[in-house]
Amino acid sequence: MQAQRKGREDCIVLAHYYTDGAVQAMADYVGDSYYLAKVAAKADKGTIVFCGVRFMGESAKILNPGRRVLLPDDAADCPMAHMASAARIRALRAAVEDLAVVCYINSTAQLKAESDVCVTSSNAVKIVSALPNKNILFIPDENLGHFVHAQVPGKKFYYSGGYCPVHAQLLASDVESEKLARPNAPVLAHPECKAELLALADFIGSTSEIISFAEGSGASEFILCTEPGVLWELSRRCPGKRFVPVTPVCADMKRITPAKVEACFAGGGFEVQMDEELMRAARRPLERMLELAR
Ligand code: 13P
Ligand code: SF4
């Protein structure tokens, strides 16, 4: 619609599934972290407006440095992105032979710059399996790391103790009580949840994998163990199916509002800026992810 495009002719708008439905409705592309990183890398418009948290905007800028990247809210940050340290990475590199540092994309550019390869929840198993190294330092999400290790048991894993404060607060007991009320409802969980909860899940995957699974499933009711922003896409793709979310909202993702996105089209927003050296060092593991996940 003409009126809606006014002011955004030279912008491409990307939104993560955890943002508010009204924000997702404004976007050109909506998806999980891996999909959005691929779209950002190829974006051919002058400005990328990234409706998500800071590490997503940083990854877009690193992968496509010729574009201006705007965040609608400067304070939208992922707490887990900071839950590792360069000092621990360097100490472990010095102490452990044949070590690959595998960095979840939910991380600062500084942590990526210390790492060998990035991963997202949808490609982590594939990428870790493809690495020749026997030892893996998986940062910062220990829960995702344990999930990957269970599927790649031949390697030794080290961790930094990080976690998603939204998914990690979900307890197995929260899901058990929902299961009692609806015994036929499959449990859909994001791998950022704790192992005790994943043990109860019928399907584990990234946001887009959860949505695709629900769409293809014959079940009519589901227990949803991921951030409830996915309900917007689920209601679009799965009409008639019912989803019972047990996970709280991510307050950082919800900082993005339609008004803040509109402000980006009118000269506002917050430009992602990093020094060239940092971007160069952080680009290597991100590009390796895109190659290995292909
Ligand atoms: P995915 O959309 O890649 O599953 O990521 C979840 C997440 O926590 C993003 O912050
Ligand atoms: Fe970070 Fe968790 Fe929010 Fe994702 S849901 S942005 S991992 S705090």
Side-chain angles (χ1 to χ4, degrees), residues 263-277:
C264 293
F265 308 145
F270 300 87
E271 186 168 355
V272 175
Q273 280 169 325
M274 285 165 284
D275 70 57
E276 288 297 328
E277 185 58 26

Side-chain angles (χ1 to χ4, degrees), residues 1-273:
M1 266 180 290
Q2 199 58 33
Q4 279 185 343
R5 295 228 59 96
K6 195 162 161 32
R8 54 184 283 183
E9 295 82 359
D10 195 36
C11 295
I12 178 170
V13 183
L14 311 187
H16 188 265
Y17 284 131
Y18 291 165
T19 57
D20 203 74
V23 170
Q24 295 180 47
M26 297 172 80
D28 299 304
Y29 297 89
V30 185
D32 70 0
S33 305
Y34 177 45
Y35 173 76
L36 293 176
K38 285 189 293 184
V39 173
K42 294 212 167 91
D44 58 2
K45 295 236 173 124
T47 299
I48 299 171
V49 177
F50 213 124
C51 304
V53 287
R54 172 162 294 277
F55 77 79
M56 296 179 168
E58 283 183 355
S59 299
K61 180 71 186 175
I62 292 163
L63 284 167
N64 201 340
R67 306 288 161 223
R68 192 167 68 118
V69 178
L70 292 180
L71 294 171
D73 187 310
D74 201 25
D77 196 6
C78 169
M80 179 168 65
H82 304 266
M83 292 184 192
S85 76
R88 162 133 171 97
I89 296 171
R90 289 175 192 174
L92 220 65
R93 275 198 196 280
V96 179
E97 273 184 17
D98 196 20
L99 181 80
V101 181
V102 177
C103 186
Y104 191 23
I105 199 166
N106 297 37
S107 52
T108 61
Q110 286 78 6
L111 289 174
K112 289 183 177 78
E114 298 282 338
S115 302
D116 296 308
V117 64
C118 289
V119 296
T120 73
S121 56
S122 64
N123 60 36
V125 171
K126 181 175 184 184
I127 289 176
V128 172
S129 305
L131 293 175
N133 311 75
K134 271 203 320 282
N135 297 306
I136 303 293
L137 169 59
F138 195 99
I139 60 166
D141 189 359
E142 186 156 345
N143 291 317
L144 176 62
H146 283 300
F147 170 73
V148 175
H149 190 196
Q151 289 167 83
V152 192
K155 295 179 194 273
K156 181 167 168 57
F157 275 55
Y158 298 81
Y159 301 101
S160 66
Y163 60 92
C164 162
V166 176
H167 289 86
Q169 65 182 274
L170 251 191
L171 302 174
S173 53
D174 300 326
V175 175
E176 274 157 358
S177 49
E178 283 302 338
K179 271 174 84 88
L180 280 179
R182 21 191 137 254
N184 296 324
V187 176
L188 313 180
H190 195 278
E192 289 173 9
C193 295
K194 287 183 180 154
E196 61 165 52
L197 192 133
L198 296 182
L200 300 173
D202 298 288
F203 180 78
I204 302 167
S206 75
T207 51
S208 61
E209 289 170 334
I210 286 175
I211 293 164
S212 300
F213 178 87
E215 191 177 26
S217 165
S220 57
E221 191 177 38
F222 302 83
I223 298 167
L224 189 62
C225 304
T226 193
E227 211 276 353
V230 296
L231 288 170
W232 190 80
E233 183 71 6
L234 283 168
S235 65
R236 228 174 52 78
R237 301 231 315 243
C238 310
K241 294 184 181 176
R242 182 174 141 78
F243 296 89
V244 181
V246 288
T247 321
V249 299
C250 172
D252 282 281
M253 288 286 191
K254 298 305 191 258
R255 292 187 72 93
I256 314 300
T257 62
K260 291 175 189 171
V261 180
E262 288 289 351
C264 293
F265 308 145
F270 300 87
E271 186 168 355
V272 175
Q273 280 169 325

